[in-house]
Amino acid sequence: MHGHRHTRRQVLRLLGGTFISLPTRLFASKSAAAALTAKLQQFIDTRQVAGIVALISHAGRDVYLEAFGSQDLERQLPMRTSTIFDMRSMTKEITATALMCLVEDGKLHLNDAVSDYLPEFASLKVAPPGQPPRPPSRPVTLTDLLTETSGMAPNRPPAISNITRVLDRPLAEVVKIVATQPLIADPGAPWLYSSMGYAVLGRVIEVRSGQPYEHFVSDRILRPLDMRDSFFFPPHEKWPRIAAMYNLETTPLHRDVIDIYRKGAKYSAPEFGMFSTVRDIERFFRMTMNGGGLDGHRILKSASVRAMLQPRVPTSLDGISQGLSWFICTDPTKQTDLHITSGSFGAAGASGTFGWIDPGQQLIRLLLMQRFGGTDTERNTFMHLAADVS
């Protein structure tokens, strides 16, 4: 989800205008849109973030789309709505969707043990704090990984602790190393965010599809949805549109040392590796909101999407439960800053990428930026003001 350590507090932060011709009933929201524009511009002017792209979509139509600030401060490149972002953990929902494609193909079941497909997990141990390693009470299942209840440690094994920055090993090798790290609790444990579970799911996708993870995702999701600016290994011709990454873990805002082009990368990173644009992600979100289809292309059956959006376990975020990858609101009164409704759902990445879907209102809100560290202020402000724009 990041190129550095992250906590689960960051995951919902994680979670953290150009005006278009609108129907008459939406013109009343012009003042709200102006207020949103002014506030997002203020974050740029005060150097809280280098650049932002914000989109609000209602019933499949843009009601707000704006780019603020810079794609690259040092090169004085303005942010554009076509800028490409490192999506970080918003990749996880792509991985979960790809896995559900294989479920529909009959190539796996959600309750299958991971070791059914990856033999290295057959000898997995569990070592709760202060206890010697022992066999787990039961095998880790695919559902355990999807819902963050596998008992996996939140931190990566030491041998791959810097994989988010160097990306120097292929997925199969990374996952074999993950299999050597003991669980810290038995499978079915309370929710604990651990990115590496999605790396494991990506490897299962490779084994059961017979394709590299990124090729399967492209064939089954990206191409059918015409997500032409979404990829895992940036092609050279896309480099000029990739946003620079910045850091506010220590002030002032400064450029992060991460290689935004991932030159020489081998790791596809099913847990954090996708690049995309606000338009591409809006199409993926809209497909999910529509129950698995968009513009005549069906990615999943509606029953599969409903299964993904069923609240399964409570998270560390008040009023938010974990579905199959997606975060789902179960109590809006516990998340008043976000202005979300019960049953709405979303995703987030550690560099400030964030999106939320309200199917009842046919509303999608997307805020993209590239900054490690900082606070939830930009996300909360956007969600609060965007609710009035739509």
Side-chain angles (χ1 to χ4, degrees):
M1 180 185 296
H2 57 348
H4 64 305
R5 290 180 305 131
H6 62 273
T7 66
R8 198 38 200 144
R9 172 184 169 274
Q10 292 172 305
V11 179
L12 223 295
R13 170 180 94 203
L14 272 184
L15 223 175
T18 300
F19 295 106
I20 299 161
S21 179
L22 301 177
T24 302
R25 72 179 185 84
L26 293 176
F27 276 107
S29 69
K30 268 192 170 182
S31 60
L36 175 59
T37 295
K39 197 64 182 179
L40 295 180
Q41 184 61 49
Q42 183 181 2
F43 294 136
I44 305 298
D45 296 341
T46 56
R47 299 278 287 191
Q48 295 301 298
V49 63
I52 290 171
V53 173
L55 182 147
I56 306 169
S57 172
H58 180 262
R61 299 185 62 180
D62 296 346
V63 296
Y64 186 92
L65 177 60
E66 181 65 286
F68 301 84
S70 298
Q71 173 183 305
D72 189 312
L73 287 169
E74 292 73 20
R75 296 169 62 195
Q76 297 184 320
L77 297 178
M79 183 66 80
R80 301 185 186 278
T81 57
S82 60
T83 293
I84 295 169
F85 289 80
D86 179 346
M87 301 303 295
R88 309 314 286 179
S89 275
M90 287 180 77
T91 306
K92 290 179 170 69
E93 284 67 37
I94 294 284
T95 298
T97 300
L99 193 84
M100 294 302 289
C101 289
L102 288 172
V103 171
E104 290 191 0
D105 291 347
K107 292 189 175 181
L108 50 80
H109 300 89
L110 291 178
N111 290 327
D112 289 345
V114 174
S115 56
D116 290 347
Y117 308 114
L118 304 179
E120 57 265 37
F121 283 85
S123 56
L124 190 66
K125 301 295 184 183
V126 58
Q131 298 181 27
R134 58 171 172 79
S137 60
R138 64 166 175 79
V140 174
T141 67
L142 301 178
T143 296
D144 292 331
L145 297 178
L146 286 164
T147 58
E148 308 287 5
T149 58
S150 65
M152 280 189 172
N155 297 322
R156 292 174 171 84
I160 53 170
S161 60
N162 64 345
I163 192 68
T164 62
R165 289 188 177 272
V166 298
L167 296 100
D168 59 348
R169 301 172 187 257
L171 178 58
E173 184 178 333
V174 167
V175 169
K176 285 184 177 178
I177 293 171
V178 172
T180 67
Q181 184 179 41
L183 304 176
I184 61 173
D186 282 305
W191 183 90
L192 179 65
Y193 192 78
S194 177
S195 276
M196 293 316 294
Y198 278 80
V200 176
L201 291 170
R203 180 58 183 155
V204 171
I205 289 169
E206 289 192 331
V207 169
R208 295 306 291 158
S209 70
Q211 294 180 268
Y213 161 83
E214 67 275 14
H215 291 179
F216 183 81
V217 168
S218 180
D219 288 349
R220 297 294 291 267
I221 301 173
L222 306 183
R223 286 178 190 160
L225 291 180
D226 196 27
M227 295 171 66
R228 59 187 64 186
D229 288 319
S230 300
F231 42 79
F232 292 83
F233 298 102
H236 191 270
E237 65 270 20
K238 302 283 188 181
W239 286 11
R241 291 170 54 200
I242 297 176
M245 185 70 74
Y246 293 88
N247 198 305
L248 200 61
E249 291 177 325
T250 58
T251 56
L253 185 74
H254 56 281
R255 190 167 184 136
D256 195 87
V257 298
I258 197 169
D259 176 14
I260 61 174
Y261 308 121
R262 298 190 187 164
K263 295 183 290 289
K266 299 177 182 178
Y267 185 49
S268 55
E271 75 275 33
F272 71 85
M274 195 176 77
F275 289 82
S276 194
T277 61
V278 73
R279 173 59 63 223
D280 277 8
I281 289 298
E282 190 272 340
R283 289 185 64 78
F284 175 70
F285 273 34
R286 191 146 43 98
M287 175 276 294
T288 305
M289 183 173 69
N290 290 350
L294 184 68
D295 296 342
H297 295 279
R298 180 148 295 277
I299 307 303
L300 290 175
K301 297 175 182 177
S302 58
S304 296
V305 175
R306 286 196 301 271
M308 295 183 75
L309 299 178
Q310 176 186 340
R312 308 251 175 174
V313 294
T315 70
S316 62
L317 302 157
D318 290 341
I320 301 293
S321 288
Q322 183 81 66
L324 299 183
S325 184
W326 295 97
F327 295 105
I328 303 164
C329 177
T330 53
D331 187 349
T333 66
K334 301 291 181 62
Q335 290 290 336
T336 55
D337 285 344
L338 296 180
H339 280 236
I340 56 180
T341 62
S342 182
S344 64
F345 57 98
S351 59
T353 55
F354 179 82
W356 204 261
I357 303 167
D358 189 323
Q361 299 183 38
Q362 289 289 292
L363 177 66
I364 294 172
R365 285 170 280 181
L366 284 163
L367 181 74
L368 303 184
M369 58 190 203
Q370 301 279 246
R371 186 199 67 198
F372 294 135
T375 68
D376 301 341
T377 302
E378 298 86 3
R379 180 208 73 191
N380 291 350
T381 299
F382 167 72
M383 291 292 287
H384 178 86
L385 295 176
D388 294 328
V389 173
S390 54

